[in-house]
Amino acid sequence: MRRILVTGRGGQLATGLESALPAQGFEALLVGQPEFEFDKPDTVIAAFHALKPDAVMNCAAWTAVDAAEDDEAGAFHANALGPALLGRLTREAGIPLIQISTDYVFDGLKAAPYLESDLPNPLGAYGRTKLAGEWAAQAANPRCIILRTAWVFAPMGKNFLRTMLALGEQRPELRVVADQWGSPTAAPDLADAITAILARLRADGWRDDLAGTYHATGGGFTTWHGFAEAILDMHAKHGGPRPKVHAITTADYPTKAKRPTDGRLDNGKLARVFGVALPPWEAGLARVMALLRQG
């Protein structure tokens, strides 16, 4: 196993894999629009057959959570029909598919970190379409690994960290939700974890008991408010402004899509099966902030 087809070129995770995969001896074959679009299945089929990958890492997705409420059909096309097509292509080729999913498949009412065996109950269109994508990918290809992650951030793209840094430059005070819990996940750390999984598959070969769903987030838990405080504290240590961050409730910041209030995920299965654990989210934050300073 050497050639890894990575969808979603230009996105946070695909960009992380662009450097993580070659560092471990893989060839990263990045594809994206316009020559690879789930809305145009022929482009997906043509790219797949032209590149002849040894495994596929699907990072492409509709991630605009609120916009999905207004166009669930569009989100379904990207988040469910796309993985279904990749599942069929990879099954026909006899190769593994790794599909990214989300904590939004849960309703956040468990009051404890979710296990992979817990029953999903998405609250909105985004979570519903991502859950459908899990089912579609697994139904199409028995050699499928689902990785649920959360709160992904990177030095590039649209994410919470970059939003906080931008707002911090503009305003002396910010208001951030403090009653939603989760695990910030640095895209470079997640890319390293995926590469480690692929390296294990390369070394040991595929086993049917490796298929299934795994949780993969930064270690530890915090709230959006706690994450914002950590971001701005670290930024201030390097000369950035330090606005005051007021804690507010979800009710104080209404959004079109309802979010799970407690989307914490238990990552134990990933460590037990693959020997892979992401660093604490604070370490991921330090890593991404350092990459930002490097430009």
Side-chain angles (χ1 to χ4, degrees):
M1 179 186 292
R2 185 175 69 88
R3 295 166 59 83
I4 312 301
L5 179 65
V6 179
T7 70
R9 183 188 59 216
Q12 297 179 106
L13 182 53
T15 300
L17 287 163
E18 191 172 9
S19 55
L21 287 169
Q24 297 300 321
F26 294 101
E27 183 179 356
L29 310 171
L30 276 81
V31 292
Q33 297 178 345
E35 80 279 4
F36 186 99
E37 294 189 44
F38 288 144
D39 284 343
K40 300 175 182 176
D42 287 348
T43 65
V44 176
I45 295 167
F48 182 86
H49 290 309
L51 292 170
K52 296 180 173 58
D54 300 314
V56 172
M57 176 67 241
N58 184 31
C59 306
W62 177 304
T63 57
V65 175
D66 291 315
E69 296 297 314
D70 293 324
D71 186 6
E72 187 163 353
F76 186 84
H77 210 117
N79 292 343
L81 298 184
L85 176 56
L86 290 177
R88 176 173 68 81
L89 292 169
T90 51
R91 183 195 72 239
E92 291 170 351
I95 63 174
L97 168 64
I98 301 180
Q99 167 70 25
I100 293 294
S101 192
T102 172
D103 60 321
Y104 278 52
V105 301
F106 296 114
D107 57 20
L109 300 178
K110 183 182 177 182
Y114 282 96
L115 300 170
E116 291 83 353
S117 56
D118 286 325
L119 188 66
N121 185 32
L123 299 175
Y126 170 70
R128 286 192 295 270
T129 60
K130 290 297 288 183
L131 181 60
E134 293 185 12
W135 294 342
Q138 290 175 311
N141 186 358
R143 295 191 179 192
C144 181
I145 291 171
I146 304 294
L147 292 180
R148 291 182 184 141
T149 192
W151 297 21
V152 176
F153 64 98
M156 42 69 66
K158 183 179 180 182
N159 58 67
F160 183 80
L161 176 143
R162 285 168 55 88
T163 297
M164 288 300 103
L165 291 177
L167 291 176
E169 295 286 345
Q170 302 165 15
R171 306 176 188 175
E173 298 186 16
L174 304 176
R175 291 157 46 86
V176 179
V177 170
D179 59 356
Q180 293 179 20
W181 285 84
S183 298
T185 305
D189 290 344
L190 182 56
D192 286 345
I194 291 166
T195 301
I197 292 169
L198 289 166
R200 171 78 178 273
L201 296 179
R202 178 179 59 190
D204 299 344
W206 177 264
R207 298 199 321 267
D208 289 343
D209 62 330
L210 298 176
T213 303
Y214 300 83
H215 293 166
T217 63
F221 313 112
T222 189
T223 64
W224 289 114
H225 178 268
F227 189 23
E229 293 272 35
I231 291 167
L232 294 167
D233 280 346
M234 198 169 292
H235 191 44
K237 288 179 181 178
H238 294 274
R242 182 56 171 93
K244 182 176 179 59
V245 185
H246 298 281
I248 63 172
T249 67
T250 298
D252 295 325
Y253 189 75
T255 56
K256 184 177 288 287
K258 188 175 181 183
R259 270 80 168 162
T261 55
D262 187 351
R264 293 175 295 160
L265 303 179
D266 185 303
N267 296 324
K269 180 182 175 184
L270 186 66
R272 291 191 302 272
V273 176
F274 285 104
V276 172
L278 278 72
W281 67 265
E282 298 94 337
L285 173 59
R287 180 181 185 181
V288 170
M289 292 290 280
L291 290 169
L292 271 170
R293 289 194 298 274
Q294 292 170 14

